[in-house]
Amino acid sequence: MSIESDLKKDGIQVIGSLDTLSVNNLAHNVAEKICNAFPKQNFIFHKLFVALSRIPMYTAQMPEGYAEANYFYKNSSIYFKSGISTDELEKFAIHEFIHYLQEIKDKKGNLIKLGLCDFGEFKVQGMALNEGAVQLMTAKTLNWPVEIVKYYGISLPTNSPNCYPILCNLVAQMAYLTGEDVLFESTFYGTDSFKAKFCDLCGLTALLMIQSNLDLVMNTEEKIIKLNQKLLEDSCEGTKAKKISNKIAKLKDKLKEFYLETQDLIYSSYFDTQLKRITTTEDIEAYRYKLYNYKNHIGITEDYSTFNDYYISKMIDLDNKYEKITNNTSVTVVNSSPIAVFFRKIRSLLTAKVEFNKKQ
């Protein structure tokens, strides 16, 4: 099938090439921003500018609901929706430029890897994980601040409120555990560093389940968007509109369920695994600090209390760990005074809560 046929199948009708001045301005501005946003990735501005300026770019008519810019890997080109202002081009181009940079093809020109996404012969793995990471990095490139938004009944922090906010939040939670730099490296260059580190911290089973859940989140949200577009059609009214609205409501509930399940799996797989690796009171303090600050990254719903319950249970586990460490002279104890004070303060509260729960 020809490139033109593939584009037509997706509803993309090419109008013409983007003018040279716009291409060069885009390449220059984006290259500069990427270099500034990711200094540890050691990009060289001139080489990056040249690479980006050589990407074929076109304006095109696209279906309603389609993204304003799309990277088409079959011909390594970017298509911009007709009518986008010059000022907005840059904002939409960054995500697609990153896709271009992360692309890895075999000798025959077949795409085999796109950052964190693997294109196998029979299956694609990590599509949503990669999309979330790319948009997270796009927001970082644009220096967008983190803000609290609400989608589908979920209040969550994200630096990408208008594009993949839920995916970005979940991938950001993963990056909080691994560190951002390893995520950025793997997303740009298609290395296995991020997944290997996440597996070490949380386990392979957790990674595979989270990766699969992210795909469910992305696919479900896409279904909701398409159904919302149908509601806007002139012919959609009466019984038809009601059926579509009911489908949307069910999908929103599913999406919320997928999100919370994925979030709970991310933090529990990490903190359960790391609890077993604690050997010193210094480890306890680092663990407590990381768990306490995790609350700044989670999404919540009106009836969500799972993380708070988990936090309390881990504080009890840490208290027990502290007792065993301090009573065992064969295990290293590191400056335990601040930690001891902390556990003395919370011990009575935690014990009281446990006893109260037993009475229920």
Side-chain angles (χ1 to χ4, degrees):
M1 187 178 290
S2 67
I3 297 299
E4 289 77 13
S5 298
D6 286 335
L7 291 171
K8 190 174 181 180
K9 184 179 178 182
D10 289 339
I12 298 175
Q13 296 181 5
V14 178
I15 295 174
S17 298
L18 197 64
D19 65 274
T20 303
L21 179 60
S22 295
V23 168
N24 287 335
N25 283 338
L26 273 177
H28 178 279
N29 294 342
V30 173
E32 187 174 59
K33 282 181 169 62
I34 287 178
C35 288
N36 291 335
F38 305 100
K40 293 184 180 179
Q41 301 309 316
N42 298 315
F43 285 111
I44 298 172
F45 169 76
H46 177 69
K47 290 184 177 180
L48 185 58
F49 163 69
V50 171
L52 297 180
S53 65
R54 289 177 177 171
I55 302 174
M57 304 181 205
Y58 304 90
T59 57
Q61 291 182 349
M62 299 183 188
E64 281 302 314
Y66 223 66
E68 281 74 8
N70 284 272
Y71 179 70
F72 202 66
Y73 72 86
K74 290 186 178 181
N75 63 349
S76 300
S77 300
I78 298 176
Y79 297 86
F80 294 99
K81 196 170 188 177
S82 176
I84 297 176
S85 68
T86 304
D87 293 337
E88 287 187 309
L89 273 177
E90 184 179 313
K91 179 175 66 175
F92 298 121
I94 293 172
H95 187 107
E96 312 312 318
F97 279 173
I98 294 176
H99 277 325
Y100 171 79
L101 294 173
Q102 62 177 188
E103 179 184 81
I104 299 175
K105 293 182 177 180
D106 62 18
K107 293 180 180 179
K108 295 180 180 180
N110 299 312
L111 184 66
I112 58 175
K113 201 170 181 65
L114 196 66
L116 300 169
C117 180
D118 295 297
F119 289 79
E121 186 176 355
F122 302 106
K123 190 176 182 181
V124 177
Q125 291 185 313
M127 178 66 79
L129 174 61
N130 188 63
E131 283 299 322
V134 169
Q135 185 55 32
L136 195 67
M137 292 161 62
T138 298
K140 182 177 176 65
T141 302
L142 291 165
N143 200 29
W144 286 344
V146 174
E147 56 182 287
I148 304 296
V149 297
K150 191 169 184 177
Y151 286 95
Y152 312 112
I154 309 166
S155 294
L156 52 85
T158 181
N159 63 350
S160 181
N162 299 314
C163 183
Y164 292 134
I166 294 176
L167 278 182
C168 286
N169 170 265
L170 290 171
V171 176
Q173 290 189 40
M174 297 173 76
Y176 171 70
L177 302 177
T178 63
E180 287 186 334
D181 290 336
V182 69
L183 173 68
F184 299 155
E185 178 209 325
S186 287
T187 305
F188 271 127
Y189 303 115
T191 70
D192 294 326
S193 301
F194 171 73
K195 290 183 180 180
K197 186 164 186 178
F198 194 86
C199 283
D200 176 61
L201 295 172
C202 306
L204 175 60
T205 300
L207 174 64
L208 294 177
M209 290 177 66
I210 291 164
Q211 191 170 260
S212 177
N213 278 10
L214 291 175
D215 287 334
L216 290 173
V217 168
M218 184 172 74
N219 293 337
T220 303
E221 186 163 21
E222 287 177 352
K223 289 178 182 177
I224 292 172
I225 291 171
K226 288 178 180 178
L227 287 173
N228 277 326
Q229 289 167 5
K230 284 188 176 181
L231 281 179
L232 298 176
E233 295 175 0
D234 293 336
S235 60
C236 187
E237 54 186 18
T239 304
K240 183 179 179 181
K242 187 175 182 180
K243 286 182 178 179
I244 292 177
S245 295
N246 289 337
K247 285 183 180 179
I248 291 173
K250 289 179 181 179
L251 286 171
K252 285 182 177 180
D253 288 339
K254 272 293 181 185
L255 181 58
K256 188 190 303 183
E257 179 185 324
F258 292 146
Y259 171 84
L260 294 175
E261 178 184 310
T262 308
Q263 172 175 271
D264 294 341
L265 181 56
I266 292 171
Y267 69 72
S268 63
S269 62
Y270 174 82
F271 289 107
D272 286 354
T273 301
Q274 297 310 305
L275 185 71
K276 299 172 184 176
R277 299 178 181 180
I278 290 176
T279 58
T280 71
T281 53
E282 189 175 57
D283 293 340
I284 289 178
E285 177 59 23
Y287 181 103
R288 182 184 69 81
Y289 178 83
K290 194 143 192 170
L291 178 59
Y292 177 78
N293 282 286
Y294 202 91
K295 64 180 173 54
N296 298 320
H297 300 270
I298 66 171
I300 59 173
T301 61
E302 289 184 359
D303 56 352
Y304 180 78
S305 62
T306 309
F307 180 77
N308 286 339
D309 295 338
Y310 183 85
Y311 178 84
I312 291 171
S313 73
K314 290 305 155 193
M315 289 298 102
I316 294 173
D317 290 339
L318 285 184
D319 189 20
N320 294 332
K321 280 276 188 181
Y322 176 78
E323 289 294 323
K324 289 179 181 179
I325 290 173
T326 54
N327 290 327
N328 184 355
T329 55
S330 65
V331 179
T332 305
V333 178
V334 184
N335 190 14
S336 62
S337 297
I339 304 174
V341 171
F342 169 77
F343 281 117
R344 281 198 295 271
K345 287 181 178 179
I346 69 166
R347 189 172 298 146
S348 59
L349 175 63
L350 296 178
T351 303
K353 182 173 180 65
V354 171
E355 290 177 350
F356 175 78
N357 287 338
K358 286 180 179 178
K359 293 177 182 178
Q360 300 303 304

